[in-house]
Amino acid sequence: GENVEQHPSTLSVQEGDSAVIKCTYSDSASNYFPWYKQELGKRPQLIIDIRSNVGEKKDQRIAVTLNKTAKHFSLHITETQPEDSAVYFCAARGSGGGADGLTFGKGTHLIIQP
Amino acid sequence: GAGVSQTPSNKVTEKGKYVELRCDPISGHTALYWYRQSLGQGPEFLIYFQGTGAADDSGLPNDRFFAVRPEGSVSTLKIQRTERGDSAVYLCASSRTGPTGELFFGEGSRLTVL
């Protein structure tokens, strides 16, 4: 099955600086890579996703890049703000018949220092 | 309802007891997922329903865990002979289409087995 590694586990940045979170996956057939944000005690919420037919996707201050050859993808947050503080999870889904659930990384606790 | 609804939000039970957790997905969403999230970890896939049928139950840890979705809407996750290691937040998510569509998570049911 799919294995997703995520790092760092904790990331502290100054407000206004950029943050980068990286993930690797094992299944070369994986074709969908979402990122979820989870605030303390709240539900995970999708913030951005990318499919395997593109290398980069941007949405305002958030961008995701995908390198299929190296099997890694990254989340980039620019001009960080206090409300960006949360745990971020990457995930990957293989192409096996549509029945597989997403495999999540262990999460990155992003702390925005004022 | 507007979002995925899960009940109970908190459940404390004794080792060996039987537990049911309920999920009411977003109306019209055909895909429904159960995940389990332990402290400091990412969501761990348990089971995926497409309509009434379990399309993938490969994530269920053992035969004490069972889930149903008899009418293709509400789902119940059933845990028999609970063990302390079952303590976690059980997240339900639904999607309009399937695994490559956005997953909308509920707030989760926190299960504590004493």
Side-chain angles (χ1 to χ4, degrees):
Chain A
E2 176 68 277
N3 183 47
V4 176
E5 300 285 339
Q6 181 173 351
H7 59 95
S9 55
T10 303
L11 177 60
S12 181
V13 300
Q14 288 293 123
E15 183 179 349
D17 288 351
S18 295
V20 180
I21 302 170
K22 300 182 180 182
C23 288
T24 60
Y25 61 98
S26 61
D27 184 356
S28 57
S30 287
N31 58 9
Y32 176 64
F33 307 92
W35 286 87
Y36 283 80
K37 176 183 180 182
Q38 187 174 31
E39 297 177 5
L40 189 63
K42 301 291 187 183
R43 71 190 78 191
Q45 291 189 296
L46 180 73
I47 55 170
I48 195 167
D49 57 11
I50 191 167
R51 299 177 197 278
S52 59
N53 57 347
V54 297
E56 183 174 359
K57 184 176 177 181
K58 237 182 148 178
D59 183 3
Q60 299 182 351
R61 296 186 298 108
I62 295 172
V64 57
T65 57
L66 171 65
N67 183 328
K68 286 183 63 181
T69 304
K71 290 190 283 188
H72 68 68
F73 56 114
S74 300
L75 177 72
H76 304 252
I77 306 174
T78 58
E79 299 170 21
T80 53
Q81 299 169 4
E83 54 265 35
D84 295 330
S85 293
V87 178
Y88 291 80
F89 294 98
C90 63
R93 181 199 162 262
S95 60
D100 294 341
L102 290 172
T103 301
F104 284 82
K106 291 190 174 180
T108 296
H109 186 192
L110 177 61
I111 301 164
I112 307 301
Q113 304 278 6
Chain B
V4 177
S5 175
Q6 290 187 247
T7 55
S9 55
N10 274 288
K11 176 70 177 179
V12 180
T13 191
E14 292 179 343
K15 181 172 177 290
K17 299 289 189 184
Y18 170 79
V19 165
E20 286 191 355
L21 307 175
R22 175 190 165 108
C23 173
D24 199 342
I26 293 172
S27 178
H29 281 194
T30 59
L32 184 146
Y33 302 80
W34 284 99
Y35 283 84
R36 178 168 69 175
Q37 187 173 27
S38 300
L39 194 64
Q41 301 293 315
E44 173 194 3
F45 170 71
L46 296 177
I47 187 169
Y48 157 55
F49 288 90
Q50 186 62 256
T52 60
D56 184 356
D57 64 357
S58 62
L60 295 177
N62 51 59
D63 61 7
R64 296 187 297 105
F65 288 74
F66 190 69
V68 295
R69 194 187 186 198
E71 297 177 0
S73 179
V74 171
S75 176
T76 305
L77 179 66
K78 308 180 182 195
I79 310 173
Q80 297 178 318
R81 305 183 303 281
T82 51
E83 299 177 358
R84 291 195 180 88
D86 299 335
S87 297
V89 175
Y90 289 81
L91 292 166
C92 177
S94 71
S95 170
R96 183 176 297 281
T97 52
T100 58
E102 178 178 355
L103 293 189
F104 293 85
F105 282 89
E107 295 280 3
S109 292
R110 180 178 297 278
L111 175 65
T112 303
V113 182
L114 301 177

